[in-house]
Amino acid sequence: MRIDAHTRLCAVIGNPVEHSLSPALHNAAFQAAGLNYVYTAFRVEDVPACLAGMRAMHGFRGMSVTIPHKIAVMSHLDDIDPMARRVGSVNTITHANGRLTGTTTDGPGALRAFEEAGVSLDGKRVLFIGAGGAVRAVAFAVAELTRAESITVLGRTPERVRAIAEDVATKTARPVAAADLATGLADAVAGSDILIQGTPIGMHPKPGESPVPREWLQPRHVCFDMVYRPNKTRFILDAEAAGCTILLGIEMLLNQAALQFEQWTGVPAPLAAMRAAALDALGEHP
Ligand code: NAP
């Protein structure tokens, strides 16, 4: 890797940030594309000072924003793209001529993962399991950018589920149903085509758990797990065994990073190199 006075800097900020796969993904992409960019990670506590620093440094081109700063950065940006404004969080900042623009690539990245897998959401009944930040971002993208037949959000904390459903419905003019995870899951799974798992259930260090009993899964289901540690969760292994189409969390991670890469560099992301780097960083063998 060449690093010199022309090198552009990109970085992820968060707290903690040491576990992030983003440096591995983006540096592999810059190398594969032959670009004089470098990507690192910064643990940040003082968000205003961090963004003032970025604005002052002309070669500081791009920033990924992760937990807990996705909302806090918004009041320090010059422009925010309409979808990020509706979602209420920013995961990507692009710096040009002293101006900082915020976008969200989580939802569009998830949709691009479906597209890459050859799965259309148009006319499908989409069920979200979980009601956190990731579900919120992807639910907005599904409501705004697809012709899904229906959207349902299930979660364990009724007020959070209702808040997401009402907010997405109000801002996108698409009906969104809300139900309780404990009592509504069986009917919701039976009445859905696309299952999007957006809770940490099944994540390392408890990889044996799944929110959906295996016997409820049918070959017509498309099962997407946002969790990517492990690469194949219990939910995904069960879905595979039941003959469902599967989509791994790493594909959302890759595609949201690919959209960031394209915003910062203006060239198509080298997805294969990014996937190989991500699998390597996860200890999986491509
Ligand atoms: P979050 O904002 O903390 O939300 C987590 C959601 O899961 C909440 O609705 C929470 O319910 C629910 N939940 C947690 N434990 C549960 C349990 N035992 N039973 C039922 N529900 C439970 O987190 P997030 O940022 O949305 O992330 C969610 C998952 O997606 C994480 O595993 C994260 O690693 C993954 N993710 C992946 C990508 C990707 O690119 N692949 C991107 C973002 C996130 P309560 O509201 O009741 O607490």
Side-chain angles (χ1 to χ4, degrees):
M1 181 184 280
R2 179 179 80 223
I3 296 185
D4 58 23
H6 300 284
T7 303
R8 299 290 204 97
L9 175 65
C10 297
V12 55
I13 64 159
N15 190 10
V17 80
E18 292 74 15
H19 63 285
S20 176
L21 294 179
S22 296
L25 289 187
H26 282 289
N27 285 317
F30 294 145
Q31 282 187 35
L35 295 172
N36 190 1
Y37 279 62
V38 67
Y39 188 108
T40 184
F42 294 115
R43 185 173 65 80
V44 165
E45 284 160 16
D46 186 340
V47 169
C50 167
L51 294 187
M54 183 187 197
R55 194 192 299 279
M57 288 190 271
H58 287 289
F60 199 153
R61 173 65 172 158
M63 198 179 268
S64 310
V65 183
T66 189
I67 291 167
H69 299 319
K70 288 185 176 190
I71 299 168
V73 294
M74 293 181 79
S75 46
H76 305 283
L77 302 174
D78 302 297
D79 301 298
I80 296 174
D81 115 296
M83 183 185 282
R85 209 176 274 289
R86 284 191 282 275
V87 172
S89 71
V90 155
N91 80 334
T92 309
I93 300 172
T94 304
H95 178 194
N97 305 320
R99 287 186 74 79
L100 305 183
T101 301
T103 59
T104 177
T105 64
D106 281 330
L111 292 191
R112 196 158 124 165
F114 276 104
E115 204 180 300
E116 287 253 321
V119 176
S120 167
L121 276 70
D122 294 350
K124 302 284 172 49
R125 299 164 298 173
V126 179
L127 172 64
F128 288 94
I129 300 169
V135 163
R136 186 179 164 80
V138 180
F140 265 97
V142 170
E144 284 186 31
L145 303 175
T146 78
R147 292 191 198 139
E149 181 183 308
S150 65
I151 301 171
T152 303
V153 181
L154 286 193
R156 66 178 178 180
T157 307
E159 50 281 15
R160 290 205 187 132
V161 181
R162 262 199 314 274
I164 290 194
E166 285 175 12
D167 205 25
V168 177
T170 307
K171 291 177 180 166
T172 67
R174 297 279 305 265
V176 180
D180 178 62
L181 186 58
T183 56
L185 185 61
D187 285 346
V189 169
S192 300
D193 308 300
I194 311 253
L195 311 182
I196 301 181
Q197 199 305 103
T199 77
I201 296 171
M203 192 162 91
H204 181 80
K206 289 186 177 172
E209 298 179 2
S210 167
V212 184
R214 178 173 165 170
E215 57 275 17
W216 295 358
L217 297 171
Q218 303 295 326
R220 72 181 160 76
H221 285 126
V222 176
C223 296
F224 167 39
D225 201 332
M226 292 194 195
V227 172
Y228 55 83
R229 278 181 222 262
N231 191 34
K232 284 190 181 178
T233 58
R234 170 51 46 199
F235 173 56
I236 287 295
L237 291 168
D238 287 350
E240 234 174 4
C244 308
T245 301
I246 59 158
L247 198 58
L248 304 180
I250 195 173
E251 296 300 324
M252 172 174 166
L253 184 76
L254 281 172
N255 279 288
Q256 64 78 28
L259 291 170
Q260 296 184 323
F261 176 96
E262 289 166 6
Q263 285 181 30
W264 299 331
T265 68
V267 303
L271 213 56
M274 296 171 84
R275 182 177 291 107
L279 290 172
D280 192 43
L282 285 171
E284 304 275 341
H285 295 291

